[in-house]
Amino acid sequence: MLYVIKWLYMWILPLGGVFLALFAILIYMFRKRAAGRWALLVTVLCFYGLSIQPVSHLFVHPLETRYEQPPLDQLDGDVIILLGGGSLAGVPDFDGTGQLGLAASHRFLTAVRIQKALHIPILLSGGVVFAGDANEAAIEKRMLLSLEVEEKDIISDEKSRNTAENARFARELCDAHGWHHPIVVTSGFHMARAIGFFTREGMNVTPYPCDYRTTDTYRLSLFSFIPQSIVLFDSCLAIKEYAGMMAAKAGLQ
């Protein structure tokens, strides 16, 4: 009974309720043979598909499994490059102002654990993208210092605004410091595009994906076909990555 209640409840949440309303409108339009019903049907089905787990999994999982996370005992590098993943300005944090977004927090935690294990420098790559945004590298440096990472082991790139600039400015800093074996930390869905840019810069890096959104043990259930906003968000992230990779190949980035 508990699962039945949860299943019904999820259908009345905002996204589930929106689709119920759209399906009702479609039934009405087809009964009335209204103009535009087929276009609306295709649009709703595409939107619905991107919002359910089986379809989203098809988009996200191939990106996340492109590179495997290496075991710690096989991990070798002379610097960790932590790619930015979003931040929020003007909000209170434990010892300052500004906080990391969800993806950035996962990446940060992974990078800190690697740094603590290998005792190598960490390069924070990510600045201000839009006016009013937080300076992500500055927030991460403050957090690293509070976690007792020595300041001499923290290098900040506060100029990068996208993945192409992450790779470009990281290469310049690696050349300046004599680092030749970087470990790149970013979300699994983002790693393939990131490695493309680092390769373009002539860098031989070790990918260390994290912040996973899918799993190999995924199983279908009745809940898999309920539209969810977080699933739609993941689908959109994946589509952005595929579009970004195509743009990079076309020389648009």
Side-chain angles (χ1 to χ4, degrees), residues 25-149:
I25 292 171
L26 279 170
I27 292 172
Y28 174 82
M29 291 181 68
F30 273 88
R31 284 182 175 177
K32 296 294 184 179
R33 298 179 180 269
R37 61 190 184 278
W38 289 106
L40 180 60
L41 175 62
V42 172
T43 302
V44 171
L45 289 178
C46 290
F47 187 26
Y48 173 75
L50 294 173
S51 304
I52 59 174
Q53 289 178 344
V55 176
S56 180
H57 190 274
L58 293 175
F59 282 99
V60 180
H61 195 61
L63 291 173
E64 294 192 323
T65 53
R66 189 79 62 91
Y67 295 94
E68 292 186 1
Q69 189 182 93
L72 184 59
D73 59 0
Q74 299 178 20
L75 192 58
D76 184 31
D78 49 14
V79 64
I80 303 159
I81 301 177
L82 172 58
L83 302 189
S87 58
L88 186 64
V91 295
D93 193 24
F94 176 72
D95 54 1
T97 302
Q99 69 178 33
L100 299 180
L102 185 60
S105 296
H106 289 163
R107 299 176 190 183
F108 176 83
L109 180 59
T110 299
V112 171
R113 295 171 74 184
I114 296 173
Q115 198 281 330
K116 293 290 187 180
L118 301 184
H119 305 288
I120 58 177
I122 183 166
L123 195 167
L124 310 174
S125 183
V128 177
V129 179
F130 300 107
D133 283 354
N135 188 315
E136 189 169 342
I139 294 173
E140 291 171 339
K141 181 175 182 178
R142 169 170 54 80
M143 294 171 65
L144 286 174
L145 291 173
S146 72
L147 293 171
E148 300 183 350
V149 176

Side-chain angles (χ1 to χ4, degrees), residues 156-168:
S156 297
D157 158 29
E158 299 183 4
K159 299 184 296 181
S160 294
R161 298 165 297 175
N162 58 26
T163 309
E165 292 184 354
N166 287 145
R168 185 185 315 138

Side-chain angles (χ1 to χ4, degrees), residues 53 56-57 60-61 64 85 101-104 106-107 187-190 210-216 218 230-231 233-235 237-238:
Q53 289 178 344
S56 180
H57 190 274
V60 180
H61 195 61
E64 294 192 323
L102 185 60
H106 289 163
R107 299 176 190 183
S187 301
F189 69 84
H190 180 235
C210 60
D211 182 37
Y212 292 100
R213 286 131 198 278
T214 63
T215 173
D216 288 331
Y218 171 71
I230 186 61
V231 175
F233 178 73
D234 289 346
S235 295
L237 283 179

